[in-house]
Every structure is written in C-alpha cells, then in structure tokens.
Amino acid sequence: MSGPPPIAIGDLLAETRAALAEAGVDNPRLDARLIVGAAAGATIEQMIARPETPVDADSAAFARALAERRADGAPIAYLLGVKEFWSLDFAVTAATLVPRPDSETLVEAALARCADWSRAWRVADLGTGSGCLLLAFLSERPHATGVGLDASIEALSVARANAHAHWFDARARFVCGSWTSALAGPFDLIFANPPYIPSDDIPLLAREVRDYEPYEALHGGADGLDHYRAILAELPRILAPGGAVVFEVGQGQALPVADLCELADLKVEAIRRDLGGISRCVVAAKSSA
Ligand code: GLN
C-alpha cells in the first residue's frame, strides 16, 4: 500500500498561505512560512531555494493541523511555542502572555535607570509570565539578580525554563504569589506589567488575544487600574531608597497611573512611548532619603 504522493514544500507553502488568507489572518505569507518551516524542519532559506523538496505525509499533516488552529485565531507564538523578545527566544504557553515588542520599552527604561553595568542590581518582576522582562534585563546587567513573581504556577514553570535556557538559573528566582505579598525586598528596580484591560474592552480585543491569552493576565477590573492600586498599596515597602518601579500601562492609562504613583509617595520620573507612539511605560521612584 502506498500513501498519498509527497507534496512539494513550495506547494504546501502556497496551500497554507491561501488557507490563512482566506481565514483573514493578518500576515498569511509570514505565518505560512513559520508553520511549514516548523512542521517540516526547514528554514525559510531552504524553502525558498528548493521549493520542490518533498515533505513527508506526517509533516504535511502537522502543518495543516497547525494552519487550521492559526485560522481559528490561535496566536502563532502559541503554535510554535516560542516568541522573540529583546533578541532572545522565549518559550511561551497558553499560561503566559505572548511577549510584545511594546514591552521592550520597559527594558529600555530600566536599563536607562540602572545604567551602571557593573552593579549588582536587585530586581523584581511582578506578573513575570514568560519571564521576558526580568531575563532581558539580566542579559544586559551581568551582576544583577532578580525575582520573578506570578500567581500562576504554570507560568512560573515556563519562566524557570526560560531562565535555564538562557543560563540565568543562578541569578533568577521565581516565586508564586499575589503582587508584593511574597516579597521582602529591598529592590532597586521593580518591573510590573499587570493585567490592565478594562472589563468593557475585553470583548473588543483581537480574537488572538481575547480567545487565547490568559484572561487573568489581561483583565484589570472596571477601569483597568485595579492591579496598579493593589501593587502600589505595598510597593514602597519593598523598594530600596532611590529605587524605582517601571510599569507597563495601556492606552490612556499613563496619566492615571502616574497619579496613583504620586499618591503612593513615589516621584514620577518618566513616561515613555512605545514604537507606536503610545505612552506605554511609567517610571516612578522612591525618595533616596
Ligand atoms: N498588551 C496587552 C494587550 O494589549 C495587555 C497586557 C496586559 O494587560 N498587561 O493585549
């Protein structure tokens, strides 16, 4: 008995791209290349240079199954299990948000504030998810150490795996807890990308986000600011004198979050924009006295 004849990789790419385009996926050409490449174990260069290369039936079936899930809205990062952030590869699962390029604004802000390369900066990352903020920072400051905190055990195991993959086991610890409660400090720098989508905006999110990313990592209460209030209630306790928090905020939230920081006796030092020009990051410091 013989199975179906093997399909050429160029034909599988064209078929996948057409199916994704038909389903209204944003970037059908790129996603088709990523899916077929992952399923067939081929690089983009190999697929383009040798489109006639045959793909075995199992790999083709795998590519079609992935394409079907992508057509249903599953984020490409969940299908591939990996997302690049700060030029590092991070494992991601449905228990973690997919790292966003916008969040690199927080890493830039933290590095600007912790400019001394040689110092043993003490860092915390509240709601660490995949660990991307903390680990990107550690990759730039070789004497820094950090704690990543998350309420999700599943997310913490992803973050730990990422720390291990990038050789940061000795400098990164991960703990389960709700915001500051499990932490003693003091920290020189605290990252926080809390859930900040207002309840009424959840139904308006892109389906990739709304239907696939963890709701607990997105939903910020009626006005989206619940978690900033909860974090700021205790944050000064764990900040070192002169230490700072670097918050990610949603569109329109920079000024309200800056106000909440001032109410917590922190001095707002900077509001930074992301690549799309949206105020994405609020930096606020505890006095050094
Ligand atoms: N940036 C995410 C989005 O826009 C939200 C992340 C969060 O709530 N912290 O979908």
Side-chain angles (χ1 to χ4, degrees):
M1 261 187 13
S2 65
I7 183 169
I9 203 159
D11 293 341
L12 184 59
L13 268 177
E15 171 198 313
T16 306
R17 180 178 163 189
L20 296 181
E22 164 104 348
V25 167
D26 265 352
N27 216 328
R29 177 204 292 264
L30 175 64
D31 284 5
R33 285 177 174 175
L34 292 170
I35 285 171
V36 173
T43 65
I44 288 180
E45 292 75 16
Q46 287 166 340
M47 292 188 280
I48 292 172
R50 306 288 304 271
E52 72 283 4
T53 308
V55 179
D56 67 77
D58 283 346
S59 302
F62 184 30
R64 288 178 179 126
L66 289 175
E68 205 167 299
R69 291 176 61 201
R70 182 70 194 96
D72 281 342
I76 192 80
Y78 289 160
L79 299 180
L80 304 177
V82 66
K83 173 73 184 178
E84 184 259 288
F85 179 83
W86 202 258
S87 300
L88 300 169
D89 276 347
F90 286 91
V92 293
T93 72
T96 70
L97 286 183
V98 176
R100 312 279 203 270
D102 295 339
S103 302
E104 294 185 343
T105 312
L106 278 72
V107 181
E108 286 163 5
L111 294 173
R113 203 174 192 283
C114 301
D116 184 348
W117 184 86
S118 66
R119 240 182 92 173
W121 299 104
R122 298 158 298 180
V123 182
D125 181 13
L126 309 182
T128 197
S130 64
C132 62
L133 292 170
L134 174 63
L135 299 173
F137 182 90
L138 295 183
S139 77
E140 301 282 349
R141 294 292 177 268
H143 301 287
T145 54
V147 184
L149 176 122
D150 210 285
S152 157
I153 296 277
E154 291 82 8
L156 288 169
S157 69
V158 176
R160 269 192 205 101
N162 282 323
H164 183 71
H166 294 297
W167 302 87
F168 293 133
D169 305 77
R171 294 199 286 135
R173 296 188 291 124
F174 294 93
V175 296
C176 190
S178 168
W179 304 134
T180 50
S181 59
L183 301 175
F187 296 104
D188 303 303
L189 189 104
I190 298 180
F191 286 109
N193 177 11
Y196 54 64
I197 308 292
S199 309
D200 289 349
D201 293 353
I202 296 269
L204 312 175
L205 292 170
R207 65 179 177 154
E208 275 84 353
V209 179
R210 184 192 61 223
D211 296 347
Y212 289 89
E213 296 201 70
Y215 177 79
E216 320 74 61
L218 294 168
H219 181 226
D223 65 356
L225 303 177
D226 280 4
H227 296 286
Y228 299 97
R229 294 188 193 93
I231 291 170
L232 282 163
E234 275 285 303
L235 201 68
R237 176 179 66 79
I238 60 167
L239 271 175
V245 60
V246 175
F247 275 122
E248 177 164 325
V249 298
Q251 191 158 12
Q253 293 175 333
L255 293 180
V257 169
D259 285 345
L260 291 172
C261 289
E262 301 276 356
L263 279 174
D265 259 345
L266 303 178
K267 185 174 178 308
V268 175
E269 288 187 344
I271 292 178
R272 287 178 170 251
R273 291 178 192 277
D274 64 20
L275 291 172
I278 293 171
S279 293
R280 182 63 65 192
C281 168
V282 175
V283 184
K286 180 167 159 172
S287 80
S288 43

